[in-house]
């Protein structure tokens, strides 16, 4: 499994398991343990997903030592602000019950609150309670507003990213700022499967459409967190390190971009 190195030197596995809409309890516990026992080293959850308890149990029940697993969670919009964020972090830590959190993210740029939330993340990081801190759904203008006032810069920005929403200029901006770009809904919540170019590439490389898109992510240096609870798909989505897309095909996927979201627009949602 490949890693990327965050600005503070922390290693982050380029592939993780997303668990949004995975049910708390047996479903999430089993998916997490299964993924870890089959090569994954990274799990992406959030307070919003209401499955942190099961994620923690899945990590503990797997055969992989805690130190080899990278766990992300996020502060939800209703919990933003300085004190609320600190309390939300405590609750997430209790839910997960895995000693420490690897990456804590501000889930959305809630207007008038995200700078205070960020100050709380800086404190948690300085106190050594989390290995890395970052943001999610921050567009360039949110970062341009936040960055001048920070003491510790965000190490990651997790954003919607798939062949119909490439966000090239935001990718370039994050790269220039030393902020790792991470893709949510990389499979467009299942929407990638009818795209003709991807069908052609699937036949050309002898790989599934999901594997083509996830390979496009990691070859671009983008961390990706596909969601599945189906054992065969969890394994399929991890078998992306044994082939390479050529430059023309990488570019052709980039050109599918339509600026089309499957999730909320950060400027409208917050
Ligand atoms: P996704 O793009 O990962 O798609 C998941 C869907 O694709 C599921 O319905 C699954 O059954 C299907 N699928 C998975 N692998 C497949 C395969 N190999 N073949 C066929 N179908 C397959 O969607 P997502 O869950 O929205 O995004 C992934 C993760 O990103 C989430 O679980 C969550 O952790 C994170 N996320 C974060 C935010 C945010 O605001 N930060 C928002 C949405 C999602």
């Amino acid at each position: 499994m490949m890693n990327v190195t965050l600005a503070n030197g922390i290693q982050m596995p380029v592939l993780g398991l997303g668990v949004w809409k995975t049910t708390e309890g047996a479903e999430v516990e089993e998916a997490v343990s299964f993924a870890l026992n089959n090569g994954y080293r990274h799990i992406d959850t959030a307070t919003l997903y209401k499955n942190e308890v099961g994620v923690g149990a899945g990590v503990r029940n797997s055969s992989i030592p805690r130190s080899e697993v990278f766990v992300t969670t996020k502060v939800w919009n209703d919990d933003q602000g300085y004190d609320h964020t600190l309390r939300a972090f405590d609750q997430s830590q209790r839910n997960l019950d895995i000693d420490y959190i690897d990456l804590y993210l501000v889930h959305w740029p809630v207007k008038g609150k995200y700078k205070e939330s960020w100050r709380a993340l800086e404190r948690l990081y300085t106190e050594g309670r989390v290995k890395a801190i970052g943001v999610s759904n921050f567009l360039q203008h949110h970062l341009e507003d936040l960055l001048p006032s920070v003491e510790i810069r965000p190490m990651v920005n997790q954003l919607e990213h798939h062949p119909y929403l490439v966000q090239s200029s935001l990718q370039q901006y994050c790269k220039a700022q030393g902020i790792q770009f991470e893709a949510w809904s990389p499979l467009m919540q299942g929407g990638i499967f009818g795209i003709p170019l991807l069908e052609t590439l699937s036949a050309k490389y002898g790989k599934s459409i999901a594997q083509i898109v996830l390979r496009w992510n990691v070859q671009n240096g983008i961390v990706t967190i596909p969601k599945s609870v189906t054992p065969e798909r969890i394994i399929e989505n991890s078998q992306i390190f044994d082939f390479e897309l050529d430059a023309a095909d990488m570019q052709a996927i980039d050109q599918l971009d339509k600026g089309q979201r499957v999730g909320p627009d950060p400027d409208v949602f917050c």
Side-chain angles (χ1 to χ4, degrees), residues 18-20 44 49 74 107-108 136-137 158 184-190 193 210 225-228 233 236-237:
V19 298
W20 182 37
D44 182 85
Y49 308 166
K74 317 180 187 91
H107 205 146
W108 288 87
S136 178
N137 300 303
Q158 185 185 111
W184 63 254
S185 296
L187 308 177
M188 236 170 99
Q189 297 175 1
F193 295 105
I225 46 171
K227 181 253 175 179
S228 180
R233 287 176 174 176
E236 176 189 326
N237 293 346

Side-chain angles (χ1 to χ4, degrees), residues 29-94:
E29 274 183 52
E30 282 166 23
V32 166
S33 291
F34 181 84
L36 294 176
N37 291 339
N38 286 278
Y40 286 69
R41 292 293 179 269
H42 168 185
I43 310 293
D44 182 85
T45 186
T47 311
L48 176 76
Y49 308 166
K50 297 194 174 10
N51 57 18
E52 289 173 315
V53 173
V55 167
V59 171
R60 287 193 305 277
N61 296 341
S62 78
S63 55
I64 307 304
R66 167 70 189 99
S67 58
E68 291 179 26
V69 182
F70 189 101
V71 178
T72 301
T73 193
K74 317 180 187 91
V75 54
W76 184 239
N77 300 351
D78 297 343
D79 295 325
Q80 286 204 35
Y82 185 74
D83 291 330
H84 281 89
T85 297
L86 292 176
R87 278 204 290 277
F89 181 86
D90 287 344
Q91 186 59 52
S92 286
Q93 208 169 31
R94 278 195 295 275

